[in-house]
Each structure stands twice: as structure tokens, then as C-alpha cells.
Amino acid sequence: MTTPLSVGERIIALLDEALVTATYKYAVLIGLLDLSLELGSEVGDAALTVTTRQLAEKVLGSYWPQVKQLPLLNGGIPRQKSGAQDARIVQSIAEYKNRTGREGSGPSEAKLRDRAGYERLLVQVEAVLIEMPLPRLQCIGKETEQFLYEINWTTEVNRGLVARHLRGTPTDFDNRIILRPGVASALIQLNGLLRPLIQRSWALKVAHLNGLGEGVLHEFLFGQERIALARVSAPLIELQAGRCFYCEKRLGPGPDVDHFVPWARVPNNNIENLVIAHRACNSAKRDFLPALGHVRRWARRLDPKESEHQRLAGISARLQWPSNSVATGGTARTIYGGLPPTAKLWVMGKEFEERGNEALSL
């Protein structure tokens, strides 16, 4: 069953997904929010159907004001994609503005004053959406699940068929985006929370791509590196017998101290919340919540009868490091207890599993 909680958790997981080279997913999510607000009242909790052309207009509207010179980049346009070439949508808008001299006008004015040119630009945006973000957006790790919307094509879509569709030639290409029952209603309810979260994630991505200060400032204000974790590295390696907490294989050089319950969820530096992991495992986990198998092993650290708990208490006393197993366990219990059964939890690498209904003893 689709609920606002399940939709919100899945979108947060999408925002955490590492395999992102461009900012398209943020624009698509904002576009779906806008369309839900405009059309969702007509369907209630039923499925909402929109088209790729409708979404393209929203995406174009999001990118348009961003494609302009930025003094912090010496007058350059902020990049929105890694690699040698910028995002195709950004390139198309920049070329249109340069060709028409419509830097100051918005897309609505362009649509009124230059209908043919605007339609060509819109077709370029729609083509990118069909080819790239729409069939890829709902991928978390190795799994693709149409939990937000259903479309009738994949990344292997026939480009010739799409090109004919975009030219207005009758084809059997189905350009509908069908938001699953309850999704539009959930997006409407969560709009006030999700929109600033998506915009913030988008801004941080652009800051990272362009070497701008916002990403550095965000890390300075809220990042985990404000408290040096190096002091606990050696004791935790000894506690874990030189093995990665997640894959349980022997640690190589330069392992990471990881926050088991992610720092992005709750800033908890208590010794019970810290584990040693391979850098690759830590990088794959990112800000995802660990799967229940990991949680069951980690829970031993919270139990005063377990030797791991007692040894952690000794590390805390020796290093004068904060320790609070009650608070750490309570936080984890609340977070996991509030997850919908369909929430994706990180297992290993790109592998995820659903939360399910299992009760956790923490």
C-alpha cells in the first residue's frame, strides 16, 4: 500500500543514491511534485497520468533560470553534469538563449513570443527525459522498481520510434507517465517537506560539480568530520578482530570509521554507533540504513550482558569518548520502527532489501 511515509522514504533513498552524474533526477522529482499539485486534486488517491511533454515543460521551467552566468564562476554557467560535456538540457537551453537573446525572459514568455523555437527546445528536453532519467530514476542499487510511476519503456527504448513520436508522426510509442495510486496524494501532502529537501540536494550537487563553497560550508556546519574519528579507529579494529563490520572480510589499509545509524539521519557519535568498515563498503553504504542482518549483529553492542558492550565501555573510558547505549538504541529503534515495510535497507555493494515487518529487539 502506498502511503506518504513509504513515498517519502523511497525519495530520500533516491536522493542518497550515489550513481548520479547529472542533476536530472532532482528536476524530474520537482516536476512530478508540480504536476501532482496541479492535477492531483482531480484523482485523489487514484493513479495520476501525465505525459512526457507535460513533464518536459516543468523540467524546462526548473532549469531555465539556472542557465545563466554566475559571478562565482567568473561568468560561467554552473555545470550540472560530471565529465567533459555538460548536461544536454543545459546545453540546449544555453544555445537557445544565445541564439535568441532571451536570457532575461522566462520560458513562458519564450513560448508566447517564439512558439516554434520554444517547441523545438521542448522536444529536446523531452527526448532527454525519455532516454535518460525516466527509465533510470527508480533505481536504488541494482534494483529498479516502479514505485513512483510506471512507464512502458526501458533504457533500451527504440530511439527511432521516439524520434518519430517527437516529430509528431503517429507511432505506438506510449509517452504516458502513470503515477501509482496514492503517489500523487502523497506528494501533495509531503510537498512542503520534500521540495526544500530536493532543492537542497540539487544545490549541493551543483556546488560539488563546480567546486563552489556551499558544499564545503554544508560539510563544515553539519558534516561528521567536525569530530575527529581517527582516535577510535585502532580500538575498533581490535574489537572487530581486524575485519570489516559489514562484509566481515579482513580489513586492508586505510579503513573508515562509519556511523552505523547514518550521521545524516541523526548526529550520533556515541561509541556504540561507530564501526570499522572497508572504505568501499562505507562508500557503498553512504547514508542508507543498514539491513536487518547488520542490525542484529550491531545490537550486541547495546546489550550490557554482551562482551562487545563491555569492551566498548572500556574504549570509551580510556579515550574519554561519549557513550550512551540507551540513547543510541532508542534512536535506532524509533527510526527502524517508523519505516514502512517497503523501505529499502542496504545489504552490500548495490544490494538492498525491504524492511518488512520484523520486530527488532534493540
Side-chain angles (χ1 to χ4, degrees):
M1 177 180 178
T2 300
T3 65
L5 179 59
S6 65
V7 170
E9 275 292 333
R10 292 295 187 88
I11 289 179
I12 289 173
L14 288 180
L15 296 178
D16 286 340
E17 176 59 52
L19 299 177
V20 177
T21 59
T23 59
Y24 294 146
K25 73 174 180 182
Y26 309 113
V28 168
L29 290 171
I30 292 291
L32 293 177
L33 280 173
D34 288 341
L35 290 170
S36 295
L37 288 169
E38 290 180 12
L39 307 172
S41 62
E42 301 174 6
V43 300
D45 288 330
L48 172 66
T49 299
V50 299
T51 66
T52 53
R53 179 58 60 91
Q54 288 175 301
L55 181 61
E57 286 214 66
K58 297 302 180 184
V59 169
L60 175 58
S62 288
Y63 274 112
W64 184 283
Q66 300 180 16
V67 183
K68 60 185 177 184
Q69 295 179 339
L70 181 65
L72 289 173
L73 295 176
N74 297 317
I77 294 173
R79 292 183 58 80
Q80 303 248 9
K81 179 180 177 296
S82 59
Q85 299 293 322
D86 202 355
R88 280 164 49 194
I89 290 177
V90 171
Q91 293 183 60
S92 296
I93 296 173
E95 290 167 3
Y96 176 83
K97 287 185 174 182
N98 289 336
R99 186 173 65 253
T100 62
R102 298 191 181 279
E103 173 65 40
S105 63
S108 298
E109 183 178 342
K111 183 177 182 178
L112 291 173
R113 295 176 177 270
D114 180 25
R115 182 75 185 203
Y118 172 84
E119 289 294 336
R120 286 192 295 271
L121 176 59
L122 195 59
V123 164
Q124 293 174 311
V125 174
E126 186 179 3
V128 173
L129 295 180
I130 292 171
E131 178 186 339
M132 299 180 67
L134 283 172
R136 291 178 169 87
L137 177 67
Q138 300 177 107
C139 180
I140 299 176
K142 296 184 294 185
E143 299 181 14
T144 299
E145 180 185 350
Q146 297 191 41
F147 63 90
L148 280 177
Y149 56 81
E150 296 178 359
I151 55 176
N152 289 308
W153 71 92
T154 69
T155 55
E156 305 301 320
V157 64
N158 185 316
R159 294 189 179 183
L161 183 68
V162 172
R164 292 194 295 276
H165 160 75
L166 293 173
R167 288 197 299 269
T169 304
T171 70
D172 59 358
F173 177 73
D174 184 354
N175 75 330
R176 293 178 303 162
I177 306 165
I178 305 172
L179 274 66
R180 295 178 65 84
V183 167
S185 176
L187 292 178
I188 292 169
Q189 293 180 57
L190 295 173
N191 176 67
L193 296 174
L194 287 178
R195 186 177 298 270
L197 178 62
I198 296 167
Q199 291 175 338
R200 179 62 175 164
S201 297
W202 191 345
L204 289 173
K205 181 67 176 180
V206 172
H208 173 73
L209 289 170
N210 293 275
L212 297 175
E214 185 174 5
V216 176
L217 179 60
H218 184 274
E219 182 64 24
F220 172 77
L221 292 175
F222 306 111
Q224 64 188 44
E225 295 307 320
R226 287 182 297 143
I227 297 180
L229 300 175
R231 280 199 296 137
V232 296
S233 179
L236 289 176
I237 291 173
E238 182 180 356
L239 176 74
Q240 295 174 204
R243 295 185 179 275
C244 172
F245 183 85
Y246 299 111
C247 70
E248 300 186 80
K249 295 178 181 178
R250 298 294 278 177
L251 291 165
D256 287 345
V257 177
D258 177 54
H259 293 83
F260 184 81
V261 177
W263 180 268
R265 293 271 181 166
V266 58
N268 181 350
N269 267 309
N270 290 326
I271 193 69
E272 296 85 3
N273 196 40
L274 303 180
V275 299
I276 283 286
H278 286 124
R279 186 154 295 174
C281 289
N282 190 27
S283 178
K285 175 179 174 274
R286 289 170 53 83
D287 292 332
F288 294 114
L289 288 167
L292 299 189
H294 297 311
V295 175
R296 284 189 287 270
R297 288 188 293 107
W298 175 74
R300 293 198 294 265
R301 300 186 171 206
L302 309 177
D303 187 348
K305 297 189 296 292
E306 294 284 347
S307 62
E308 285 186 54
H309 176 88
Q310 296 162 15
R311 293 175 65 187
L312 282 171
I315 294 171
S316 171
R318 188 166 68 252
L319 298 181
Q320 294 187 313
W321 194 273
S323 171
N324 192 329
S325 60
V326 174
T328 299
T331 299
R333 186 164 53 250
T334 301
I335 290 174
Y336 278 88
L339 294 175
T342 56
K344 295 292 187 179
L345 304 179
W346 179 79
V347 178
M348 196 69 59
K350 297 179 182 179
E351 182 182 351
F352 290 78
E353 67 181 20
E354 290 191 347
R355 162 68 175 89
N357 294 306
E358 178 181 337
L360 286 179
S361 177
L362 290 172

